[in-house]
Amino acid sequence: MIAIALGLSTAILWGVADFAAGVQARRLPLLFVSAVSQAPGFLVIVVLVLVVWPPMPSVGQFGLGALGGASVAVGVVCYYGSLARGSMSVVAPIAASGVAIPVLYGLVAGERPGPVVLAGVVITFVGILFAVQAKGGAPVINQRQSIVFAVIAAIGFGAFFVLVDQLVEESILWVILAVRVASAVIITTAAVVTRATPGAAPVPFGTLIAIGLADLGGQLCYFLAASEGMITLVAVLASLHTVVTIILARAVLEERVSPIQATGIGLVLVGVLMLASG
């Protein structure tokens, strides 16, 4: 029960942060939003490590955490980019499909989920095909770039879940620090190289700070949940952050989708929930 509550808390915090970041990325450079919003969480985790100073993991475990940070950095940037460029109601469930990666990882590692989970993988894939279609069955031309970004984000998020799977029993603060360092270095370097600046546009630093803190809170909840329950279940629950994004997009931005897209979105969400039975 604790793992489920923490997993759902992760989904809520990440979903709110993703929606807010996607909105900001529509008016400010994507890498600028990503870099600035990452900074508060990085500073907070550094302070927590210095104050608590828990036992340090091995170099190899730091390395896995850093790889996880690199994968989630790619996932976050691409996801924010997809949210900024396309319909959030379409790209969010596509990003959620990345949860199939830890499920497949579990299969390779020897786990044997039931037929419902396997059916969930198939339904998720079919749902993606439906979600990228417009009315009449034609591909969504003006959203192709956002869909590609969403697929890359799904891979990045899925890889993150797999890479940190072996670290959930270690010192959570050190692991998150390793993740944050790698993520911050990649995103900040990309922002500097591309000279991603807001120009004359006003910068809502308060909103960007809140995004970063919500993202960190979600990460803390995720690792705590993973240390209490099955990683596959927790990863699926965490992936429901995309549902929160969809709800906010519908409520705040009044997004509308075609019937076939709505069917696809529903199939993806059903598939993700079916994967939770693993």
Side-chain angles (χ1 to χ4, degrees):
M1 184 62 70
I2 294 178
I4 293 176
L6 288 169
L8 292 175
S9 297
T10 300
I12 293 172
L13 288 168
W14 278 351
V16 171
D18 293 342
F19 173 77
V23 170
Q24 293 304 317
R26 293 184 174 185
R27 52 180 295 273
L28 295 169
L30 169 62
L31 288 172
F32 177 81
V33 172
S34 302
V36 175
S37 62
Q38 288 280 311
F42 176 76
L43 293 176
V44 169
I45 198 66
V46 167
V47 171
L48 286 175
V49 167
L50 292 176
V51 171
V52 178
W53 199 260
M56 293 183 64
S58 66
V59 174
Q61 291 162 340
F62 266 118
L64 280 177
L67 286 175
S71 65
V72 83
V74 173
V76 165
V77 171
C78 288
Y79 188 38
Y80 288 177
S82 67
L83 293 174
R85 288 170 170 78
S87 169
M88 294 187 181
S89 300
V90 173
V91 299
I94 294 175
S97 67
V99 74
I101 294 178
V103 172
L104 294 175
Y105 165 76
L107 288 173
V108 174
E111 295 180 1
R112 291 295 176 264
V116 173
V117 174
L118 298 178
V121 174
V122 175
I123 290 175
T124 298
F125 179 73
V126 174
I128 292 174
L129 295 181
F130 276 45
V132 300
Q133 301 294 314
K135 187 175 182 180
V140 184
I141 304 299
N142 62 350
Q143 289 203 135
R144 281 181 176 173
Q145 188 179 43
S146 66
I147 290 168
V148 171
F149 275 21
V151 170
I152 297 174
I155 296 172
F157 292 149
F160 168 76
F161 291 137
V162 171
L163 288 168
V164 302
D165 180 34
Q166 303 177 50
L167 304 177
V168 294
E169 300 300 332
E170 303 302 324
S171 172
I172 292 175
L173 293 181
W174 279 113
V175 172
I176 294 179
L177 178 61
V179 170
R180 287 277 163 173
V181 167
S183 179
V185 168
I186 291 174
I187 293 176
T188 302
T189 299
V192 171
V193 169
T194 59
R195 299 181 180 180
T197 62
V203 179
F205 283 107
T207 299
L208 296 180
I209 290 173
I211 290 171
L213 294 179
D215 181 50
L216 174 63
Q219 211 163 59
L220 284 168
C221 287
Y222 174 77
F223 277 98
L224 289 172
S227 67
E228 293 288 338
M230 294 184 297
I231 191 71
T232 305
L233 172 60
V234 173
V236 171
L237 290 174
S239 73
L240 295 180
H241 66 89
T242 56
V243 177
V244 177
T245 301
I246 292 171
I247 292 173
L248 290 173
R250 295 279 292 182
V252 179
L253 302 180
E254 298 182 346
E255 287 191 354
R256 295 292 182 266
V257 296
S258 67
I260 192 170
Q261 286 178 299
T263 301
I265 292 168
L267 286 174
V268 171
L269 297 180
V270 168
V272 169
L273 290 175
M274 290 175 70
L275 291 175
S277 66

